[in-house]
Amino acid sequence: MSFPKKPGGKAFEILKTLPRITLANLRPEPGSQKEGKRRGRGQHGGNRSGRGHKGERQRGTRPRLGFEGGQTPFYLVIPKYGYNEGHSRRPQYQPLSLKHLQYLIDLGRIDPTQPIDLTQLVNARGVTVQPLKRDFGVQLVDEGADIFAAKINIEVQRASETAIAAIERNGGVITTSFYDPISLGILIKPVPFFTRGQPIPKRMLPGEDMVPYYADADNRGYLADAAKIQQARLALAQKYGYILPDISKDKLYHMLAMRKDVRQIFFGLSPGWVVNMPEKKILKPTDEKLLKYYNS
Amino acid sequence: MAASMLCRRAAVLCQTLNGISPPKSLLYANSKCGLVFQAATYNPKPLKLNIHRPYIPDKDDEKTPEWQKTAKYDAKLYGRYGSVSGLDPASLWPSPARLDAIIAEENEWHPPLEVMLKNIAEKEAEETAKRLAKEKLIAANMAKMPKMIEDWRREKREAKQKQKEQKAQRSLLLVKARERFGYAVDPRSHKFLEMVAEIEKEEKKQKKLMKRRLKEEKAAAAAPPVASS
């Protein structure tokens, strides 16, 4: 004789008959909320109320932070030097380790079967980029290069050599590209931009100081020659001692070969288009001058 | 077993996330028990565009604030409500005059890639030229160095030699003066100086005599052979 066992049993029966949960039925776990100190009350909180005995401590007239009784304080003794000079004009790149990238891919927050962009990284809450704080994007960092095992098509703003090697070793593709601050703001928050009703702007080219970086094949820059990039891939494989997989024979070759145009911000959207979010429409300009400007 | 559990859990997760269509893409993760499906989705914040009760301000009314009558605000209305806002989409793009201004600004402040590369190449060439010139100069000077060192050393040696000789002469004169006068004379006194002057005169005379003798000897040596031949 075997009776079918109900999951939960008696507890389930009781739960069914209990009243609904309201504020009147709830109470915090005993010991979870500690009472705060109340000064000036009772034997322990009263008398001097935790202020000490006489002097500036009790009377609350202590001098400012850093004051050393008249001796030249530490923060004035040390002479000035231009370590932080022009710090607000220096471009910053939010670091993204390969370990964290692998973590995001493993958890399913980033899709490796689609090209990975800064938009995807921000949507997955993998990085937080603040264009207003002189952030110019994301940089790939070596940490986790030995455990990285994902074939991806990723686009970042800066990457170290080891990171490039780690990605290409797994048959992936990495590109470094430049986004000027306005384009960056649009890239990380596309939906608020589309609700602004502006046409998608052209991505500006980097300044003269950054052009050498992005025109160099060793950095996989987006302005570099394709042939030179292939040579650089081979050279890097030789340097780090791995066999470069042939991506042209890959199933996902079409996805891995997807790259943005120099002036494009989004995959599939050209500069000059207006996105109508509520009606899910895209408006494209037809005027020749406008087309010429947006396609230049 | 684990794979199937994961599958079921993933499927349940997909169903409970409301408003999300079935996963846009499926991840394939290799595990020991074989291929495992993993759903790649995220839950975006609901976009509250308020389409069904839009607020479109009345342009002719005085009470509407000025900033709600600007073109920028109209564009935002269009972006938010679409064609319900009643805006002509053609006004979203810059007008011809504005476009001209934009193009002029871009040509001035954002040179094309070729121009930038040319500038960079020029700067690099200039720098390399400077560096090479400097290095050349240094190399040339370094080549001259051994000779200059030798010259300097020679001069120092000669100067030292001269000094030594002078000192020796001075000490000889002092000794002579000592013999002559009988006591150590101060070299600065006028007696000493007179003595020195006398000695010099005598030496000059001797030299002249020597020269004359030499000349006579030469003349004597030259005359007899001529006479004999």
Side-chain angles (χ1 to χ4, degrees), chain B residues 205-219:
Chain B
K205 278 186 195 166
Q206 292 234 329
K207 271 192 194 167
K208 273 194 184 165
L209 281 168
M210 288 291 290
K211 270 190 194 170
R212 265 194 214 155
R213 269 191 213 159
L214 277 167
K215 269 190 192 169
E216 282 169 14
E217 275 175 21
K218 268 192 190 167

Side-chain angles (χ1 to χ4, degrees), chain A residues 111-163:
Chain A
D111 187 4
T113 59
Q114 295 294 323
I116 296 176
D117 201 6
L118 188 54
T119 322
Q120 306 308 317
L121 288 167
V122 168
N123 284 349
R125 312 294 191 271
V127 285
T128 305
V129 177
Q130 298 169 303
L132 294 173
K133 298 289 176 194
R134 276 73 64 188
D135 273 356
F136 272 63
V138 136
Q139 55 174 326
L140 267 185
V141 159
D142 310 340
E143 166 113 32
D146 45 343
I147 52 164
F148 192 74
K151 186 172 59 177
I152 49 172
N153 174 4
I154 190 162
E155 188 198 53
V156 287
Q157 279 65 56
R158 258 183 147 74
S160 65
E161 203 184 42
T162 318

Side-chain angles (χ1 to χ4, degrees), chain B residues 7-194:
Chain B
C7 275
R8 216 180 304 149
R9 241 186 288 150
V12 166
L13 175 72
C14 286
Q15 280 163 23
T16 48
L17 288 172
N18 46 348
I20 304 292
S21 51
K24 293 172 204 160
S25 56
L26 293 167
L27 276 181
Y28 292 76
N30 267 327
S31 67
K32 283 182 202 155
C33 19
L35 284 172
V36 175
F37 280 72
Q38 265 177 296
T41 58
Y42 63 89
N43 204 3
K45 213 164 124 180
L47 192 65
K48 293 207 177 90
L49 291 172
N50 219 8
I51 304 167
H52 302 292
R53 294 161 79 192
Y55 169 72
I56 294 155
D58 190 11
K59 293 280 165 61
D60 310 313
D61 194 5
E62 299 136 0
K63 283 192 199 163
T64 53
E66 290 307 312
W67 58 273
Q68 286 184 5
K69 296 177 189 170
T70 53
K72 206 170 160 197
Y73 187 79
D74 289 333
K76 284 190 187 172
L77 277 180
Y78 184 85
R80 211 182 141 127
Y81 299 126
S83 45
V84 172
S85 62
L87 180 74
D88 178 25
S91 64
L92 294 170
W93 283 274
S95 65
R98 177 91 189 99
L99 183 64
D100 287 333
I102 290 172
I103 292 171
E105 200 191 322
E106 206 181 292
N107 288 340
E108 195 191 330
W109 293 109
H110 299 278
L113 188 62
E114 297 85 23
V115 171
M116 279 205 275
L117 286 171
K118 201 166 60 107
N119 286 350
I120 290 164
E122 270 175 21
K123 274 195 205 145
E124 230 175 298
E126 206 186 298
E127 255 181 88
T128 9
K130 242 192 189 173
R131 192 171 47 88
L132 280 172
K134 207 176 175 186
E135 282 182 12
K136 231 183 175 178
L137 183 69
I138 291 169
N141 285 348
M142 287 305 284
K144 278 197 240 163
M145 273 310 273
K147 187 171 167 300
M148 282 165 70
I149 291 170
E150 267 307 309
D151 287 343
W152 179 78
R153 284 203 179 134
R154 192 171 22 90
E155 277 175 20
K156 282 275 162 179
R157 255 182 291 143
E158 281 171 13
K160 237 189 187 175
Q161 203 83 17
K162 242 196 209 171
Q163 243 196 347
K164 268 195 205 162
E165 281 173 25
Q166 270 189 349
K167 228 184 174 180
Q169 268 186 348
R170 297 282 303 201
S171 50
L172 275 174
L173 279 173
L174 272 172
V175 163
K176 275 196 192 156
R178 175 92 224 283
E179 284 173 24
R180 209 112 22 123
F181 296 119
Y183 57 93
V185 202
D186 194 27
R188 289 169 288 185
S189 61
H190 61 271
K191 269 196 204 169
F192 185 77
L193 290 168
E194 281 168 14

